[in-house]
Each structure stands twice: as C-alpha cells, then as structure tokens.
Amino acid sequence: MEPDVPVPGSAMSSGNDAAAGDEGTPEGEPEPRGDGPGGGAAAVRPRQPRSFWKELPILIGIALVLALLIKTFLVQAFSIPSDSMQNTLQQGDRVLVDKLTPWFGSKPERGEVVVFHDPDNWLAGEPTPTPNPVQKVLSWIGLMPSAEEKDLIKRVIGVGGDTVECKGSGPLKVNGKALNEPYVYPGNTPCSVDDQGGQFKVEVPKGFIWVMGDHRQNSRDSRYNQSDRNHGMVPVDKVVGRAIVKAWPINRWGTLPIPDTFDQPGLNEQSSSAASLTVAPEGIAVAAVLPVVVWRRRRAEFTKR
C-alpha cells in the first residue's frame, strides 16, 4: 500500500490523538474529579454579605471618630450666646470656626471675627446653660456647640504693635487711620462716650489682640476689661479660630469676610513704642534701673578719690 498522503488544507494527526470532539486535558493539569454533581468540580459557595445591622455599629464608630477629628483639627460649631455682635451675628446663630489654619502658624488679623477662650474671667456672673445628655454627646463630637466651654466671639480691631483709640463718639482709629465701619449696629456710634472704658488709647503688645463687638453699646469687650491682668487684651494663644461661615439658621447662611476698611493704605504703619512692648515688664524695669546703678557707683568712686 502507498503511504498516506496528506490532503491539502487538512491537519495532520498522530495515532495517539484524542477522538474527534474530545479536547482532552492540557498537559500538567489534574483531571476534574467526577464525584460532584454531574461529574463536575464541586461548586464554591459564595460568601454571604454581612448583615446591615452588624455593619451599622462599625459605620457609626467610624463616623464618630471622623467627627471628633474634624472638631479637633478642622472646624467646630459655636452658638452665639448674646447680642454683642449684632447685626453681623444674631443670638442663637450657629457659626463654623476654622481651627486648621492656627495649627500652621496663622495669627488673627484685623477685621476677622474670632472665637476665643475667656482670657481672664470676662464671663463672670453669666449664666451657663445645662445641656441634656443628647446635647452633651453632640457637642463632644462637634455637631453642637459646647455649653461647658466659656468662649466669646468678637471682631479683631488691633493686633500686636497697633495703636487703637476712641475719642468722643468716633470714629474708631487704628494707627491713626479712621475706620469706616458699616458693620456697627444701626443707631450705635463707633465709640461709646462713658468713663468706664469707652474712651481709650491703647497700644497692643505683640502676642495679643484688641477685640470689640459690632453692637458697640452692648458689648463687654476689651474696652471694659482693661482692669484685668491683660489690660483688656486677648492673648493670641487663647484664640480658638476664625468664624468663617454662618451655618444656621439656613436663611441666614453666609460667609464672614474681612471688611474693606481694614485694607486701607497706611494701616500697617505701627508705632515703634508699641512694638517695643514685646519686652517683659521685668526686663523694662531692669533696663530702667541699670543706668541709675552705674551712675551711683561712679559717683561713689569719685567721692572716695
């Protein structure tokens, strides 16, 4: 017999090839076991999704941690307790305070509305509300203002090195420049004519700010606390942050920008005497006494001769 001659266009096969229609098993792979249903591999049971009620406590825990971190490092809600910032802020308004930028060394600037801790018993005699358990939890995570923290909110008028003064009914001056203050409560004068602190001229030391309420005749601010240990000044390290947004009620939502009057030319021209107030009082006393001591010693030596 003649050897098989391959037909053109057909594939050659050896005698060991599987029968037609049987793909076989690739070399090196185990053959499927036939003990499962239909002789196929045992089906892998899919993982059952976790119950919503089991995941809920985890979600709540994550939300609480995030809220606490936001309150501590980013923003916090505060409630306006009085009318001292009318009409910019009304009693009962909720504001959001930026607590992040102070972490990066940002200092309060003129014109900002800031929240600060009571510097020296400014809130003496003021009633403290008693929150219920739900309010305590919400204030702890930052969703509600804390009723236990003694904080105030005012506008920054002067910063370290500034000279701030009020004569008569105004205008209020910073470094000799008169401020145009449209934010002052209608019917109020920029300066209060009284002998309890409404008439003043102060130099703000470095590391402090001078604050005043927009409702000038209804605000116990730096003017009326000049007898405290800081002479009415607020230490910068007592500032919690800048109020940036009126968040509630929703019909009063809005930002709290710095008024244009604080951008006028020449406002940054501070007096050298105010800048020198960074020296501690003890240092000033030593500097003043030292020349007298030297003069007395020289006089004593001259007398002995």
Side-chain angles (χ1 to χ4, degrees):
M1 294 178 63
E2 295 181 0
D4 293 335
V5 178
V7 180
S10 65
M12 295 183 63
S13 62
S14 66
N16 295 330
D17 288 346
D22 185 5
E23 294 180 359
T25 302
E27 184 178 355
E29 293 187 10
E31 293 188 8
R33 295 177 60 185
D35 54 356
V44 179
R45 179 176 297 178
R47 179 178 295 178
Q48 293 293 331
R50 183 176 294 173
S51 168
F52 169 76
W53 297 108
K54 291 183 179 179
E55 290 188 346
L56 184 59
I58 298 176
L59 295 175
I60 292 176
I62 293 174
L64 290 176
V65 170
L66 289 176
L68 185 59
L69 290 175
I70 290 172
K71 168 193 171 183
T72 304
F73 300 107
L74 299 178
V75 294
Q76 185 176 356
F78 285 85
S79 176
I80 306 305
S82 69
D83 297 330
S84 67
M85 282 297 294
Q86 285 182 320
N87 271 336
T88 304
L89 299 171
Q90 301 289 351
Q91 186 173 352
D93 283 356
R94 303 291 195 271
V95 297
L96 297 182
V97 174
D98 169 24
K99 301 177 69 174
L100 178 63
T101 51
W103 284 87
F104 294 95
S106 175
K107 303 298 182 184
E109 297 182 6
R110 303 183 199 96
E112 292 182 346
V113 177
V114 296
V115 171
F116 54 95
H117 298 312
D118 189 341
D120 191 22
N121 213 24
W122 286 19
L123 294 174
E126 294 291 333
T128 302
T130 304
N132 58 44
V134 175
Q135 291 174 328
K136 286 183 178 180
V137 172
L138 293 177
S139 64
W140 181 75
I141 62 177
L143 298 180
M144 279 190 66
S146 174
E148 298 177 356
E149 295 179 356
K150 292 187 175 182
D151 298 319
L152 301 96
I153 184 166
K154 305 290 181 186
R155 189 179 298 277
V156 179
I157 300 299
V159 297
D162 285 346
T163 299
V164 186
E165 61 180 313
C166 259
K167 291 183 178 179
S169 59
L172 175 64
K173 293 183 179 180
V174 177
N175 298 326
K177 299 294 181 179
L179 299 182
N180 176 27
E181 301 183 282
Y183 47 80
V184 169
Y185 185 76
N188 278 194
T189 54
C191 298
S192 301
V193 182
D194 59 53
D195 56 359
Q196 285 81 45
Q199 302 290 291
F200 63 89
K201 182 175 182 179
V202 296
E203 294 178 342
V204 186
K206 295 293 185 181
F208 291 83
I209 56 176
W210 179 269
V211 297
M212 297 173 68
D214 290 353
H215 196 163
R216 290 290 157 81
Q217 274 79 62
N218 189 22
S219 176
R220 293 198 60 81
D221 44 42
S222 289
R223 298 169 294 169
Y224 301 104
N225 288 281
Q226 295 185 62
S227 60
D228 72 2
R229 61 182 175 181
N230 300 313
H231 307 292
M233 316 290 177
V234 178
V236 170
D237 59 12
K238 290 284 187 180
V239 176
V240 176
R242 175 187 173 186
I244 52 176
V245 172
K246 292 179 287 186
W248 189 263
I250 197 66
N251 63 337
R252 286 185 47 75
W253 190 95
T255 59
L256 295 167
I258 297 177
D260 293 338
T261 189
F262 292 95
D263 294 328
Q264 61 177 296
L267 198 62
N268 288 320
E269 295 179 1
Q270 302 173 337
S271 65
S272 58
S273 60
S276 67
L277 291 176
T278 54
V279 182
E282 293 81 0
I284 296 175
V286 171
V289 171
L290 187 58
V292 177
V293 174
V294 173
W295 176 77
R296 285 184 176 179
R297 285 185 177 179
R298 288 184 177 180
R299 183 179 180 183
E301 290 177 358
F302 180 80
T303 304
K304 290 179 180 179
R305 293 176 186 176

